[in-house]
Amino acid sequence: MRESASVPPSREREWRVTPARTRSSKQLAVAALVLVALATVACGNQDLPQNALDPQGPDARTLDKLWDLTFPFAVGVFFLVQGLVVFIIWRFRARSDDDAPVQVHGNAKAELGWTIAPALLLAVIGVFTVVTVFDINRRAEGSEVLQVKVSGHMWWWEFEYENFDIITANELHIPADQPVQLEVTSVDVIHSFWPPKLAGKVDAVPGRTNYMKLQADRPGVYAGQCAEFCGLSHANMRLTVVAHAPEDFRTWIRDQQREAAPAAQGSEAAAGAELFVMKGCTGCHTISGVEGANGRIGPDLTHLYSRSKFAGAVFELTDKNLRKWLRDPPAMKPMVPDNGQGMPNLGLTEEEITSLIAYMETLK
Ligand code: CUA
C-alpha cells in the first residue's frame, strides 16, 4: 500500500497518531487492575453459600475434581496465548513509516503445532469430562435411596415425596449421608435445578424427566437457585436443601404427613381459614385436610410455617414479610399474574391480612 497513490499521505499518518498508543496503555493498565481485583475477590472469602468449589457431597466433589484438573490447563493456555499476543504486538510493532514486515505465506511446522497441541490437550480434557459425565449421571439405586420429584414453576420449586405422600415447596429436605435420586421436570418453561455445594445443574424441561443424584456429607442448610433464565423473576427463584440427621429426617416426614389441624372456633385463625376459601386461595393452593383446597398452581401451604422462607425461598418467612406479600405480591417480587405467572394482588384489607396470617401461622 505504501507506494500506492490512492492513499493520500495525510490519511496514512492519521492512524499512526501517538495518542492511540497512550490510550491503549491506559486500557491495558485498567484491564490488569480489574484482573488483579477479580483474582483477589475469588481467593478472599471461602465462606460463600453457593461456592461450587467448596463441595459438600460426592457428586459435587467429582465435579470439583474435574475443575481442579482442567483449570491449570486453562490458566496455562491463557497465559501462553496472551503472552504471545503481547510479545508479537511489541516485537513487530511499527517503528518507522517504512519498515513493512516481511510478507510470508504458510508455515507447515507452526500450523501442525497449533493444530496438534490443542487437539491433544482437548482429547485429554475430553476423556476426563466424559468419564465425569457418566459418573454423575449414574442413577442412585438401592432401598435406602430417597426418591423426590422436582418441578420447576415460574418462579418457585415443588418437591414431591411420592413414597411418603408429601408435597412441599422451595425447601428440599433430605437425610444427610444418604443418596437421593431426583426426577426433575417443569410445568411451564425450562428451569435449571442447581444446588452448587451438593451437585451440578440439571435442566427442568416441560414434558421431560431429567435425573440428578444428590447427597450431603453432613446435616446442614445448602443454598441453590434456578440457573436457566426463565422470565421476569428468574433471579428470585432460589431453593434450599436441608440435610437432616436420620432421626430428624424421620421426624420431619412424620410432621409433613399430618393434615392441617382445623383452627379453633371463633379465633382469628378461623376467620382467616374462612377468608382463605372466600378469596379463592383454594383454587391455587393446597392445604391438606381442608375441603376444596387442592389447587396446584401455587405452593402447597399445608405446612407453610415449617419452612423458613417463602416465594421461591427469597424472603424470610416472618409475619412482617408475609403481610407485605399479601398486600401486593407483584410489588415484592416481579411477576405477571395476568399470564398465570405468580400471585395476584387480591386487594385485601389490613384486617383480612391479619386474619390470614393468623391462619397461616397454624399451618406448621
Ligand atoms: Cu426458573 Cu430461572
Side-chain angles (χ1 to χ4, degrees):
M1 284 306 255
R2 196 144 287 108
E3 58 268 355
S4 155
S6 61
V7 178
S10 60
R11 263 290 253 331
E12 198 176 334
R13 230 174 292 123
E14 230 167 69
W15 61 269
R16 287 176 185 282
V17 280
T18 34
R21 217 146 146 202
T22 354
R23 201 172 57 224
S24 71
S25 63
K26 247 187 212 162
Q27 281 169 344
L28 208 68
V30 170
L33 264 177
V34 170
L35 207 69
V36 170
L38 280 177
T40 318
V41 171
C43 303
N45 188 357
Q46 290 299 311
D47 190 28
L48 302 165
Q50 293 193 169
N51 186 359
L53 304 181
D54 177 24
Q56 303 289 326
D59 274 15
R61 241 184 325 273
T62 306
L63 289 166
D64 188 50
K65 274 187 198 140
L66 183 63
W67 157 273
D68 288 346
L69 176 94
T70 51
F71 189 62
F73 283 119
V75 171
V77 169
F78 176 82
F79 282 106
L80 179 71
V81 172
Q82 298 307 314
L84 278 173
V85 167
V86 171
F87 169 74
I88 285 164
I89 289 172
W90 174 80
R91 174 68 182 78
F92 298 102
R93 70 192 186 281
R95 280 163 234 246
S96 71
D97 278 0
D98 15 61
D99 63 341
V102 182
Q103 301 298 307
V104 292
H105 179 262
N107 183 323
K109 262 190 210 157
E111 282 167 25
L112 275 174
W114 71 53
T115 306
I116 292 171
L120 281 177
L121 193 59
L122 288 176
V124 171
I125 291 174
V127 166
F128 283 100
T129 304
V130 170
V131 168
T132 303
V133 167
F134 276 95
D135 190 10
I136 61 173
N137 278 329
R138 203 174 303 123
R139 307 261 179 92
E141 279 163 356
S143 54
E144 84 282 12
V145 177
L146 173 71
Q147 309 274 350
V148 185
K149 278 188 171 175
V150 178
S151 303
H153 293 246
M154 284 166 142
W155 290 275
W156 57 282
W157 295 98
E158 183 176 80
F159 304 115
E160 184 175 4
Y161 303 66
E162 271 185 327
N163 299 343
F164 298 101
D165 202 17
I166 291 171
I167 296 180
T168 185
N170 301 319
E171 275 182 16
L172 173 64
H173 289 254
I174 60 170
D177 201 26
Q178 210 173 303
V180 180
Q181 182 64 61
L182 304 180
E183 291 180 16
V184 183
T185 188
S186 165
V187 303
D188 37 48
V189 297
I190 301 176
H191 304 272
S192 176
F193 188 81
W194 184 43
K197 286 196 179 186
L198 300 181
K201 288 174 186 166
V202 70
D203 275 1
V205 183
R208 195 193 145 90
T209 302
N210 286 335
Y211 297 89
M212 171 188 266
K213 54 182 174 5
L214 192 75
Q215 185 168 331
D217 295 336
R218 56 191 81 79
V221 178
Y222 304 91
Q225 67 181 74
C226 175
E228 177 73 43
F229 181 70
C230 55
L232 199 55
S233 254
H234 159 66
N236 298 310
M237 187 169 168
R238 301 192 197 162
L239 60 106
T240 307
V241 180
V242 184
H244 297 275
E247 323 82 72
D248 296 342
F249 183 67
R250 278 193 289 274
T251 309
W252 181 81
I253 290 279
R254 263 201 307 278
D255 288 346
Q256 296 289 312
Q257 282 172 329
R258 278 186 290 114
E259 288 191 337
Q265 255 188 348
S267 65
E268 184 83 67
E274 220 168 279
L275 271 172
F276 192 82
V277 177
M278 264 166 51
K279 293 287 175 184
C281 310
T282 49
C284 290
H285 295 283
T286 293
I287 295 182
S288 91
V290 175
E291 219 186 296
N294 49 17
R296 294 290 299 272
I297 295 166
D300 187 308
L301 300 179
T302 313
H303 299 281
L304 175 66
Y305 261 77
S306 73
R307 314 204 268 264
S308 60
K309 288 183 176 166
F310 72 104
V314 173
F315 307 111
E316 296 288 333
L317 183 55
T318 62
D319 293 6
K320 202 176 146 209
N321 278 342
L322 197 53
R323 179 169 291 277
K324 223 168 123 190
W325 176 260
L326 289 171
R327 272 184 201 137
D328 188 2
M332 213 165 155
K333 167 175 173 176
M335 298 187 292
V336 207
D338 289 347
N339 274 347
Q341 297 162 10
M343 179 159 159
N345 182 348
L346 297 168
L348 302 164
T349 66
E350 288 302 306
E351 290 72 37
E352 287 171 336
I353 291 174
T354 304
S355 303
L356 278 170
I357 291 177
Y359 177 46
M360 293 293 116
E361 281 175 336
T362 67
L363 304 175
K364 288 187 179 145

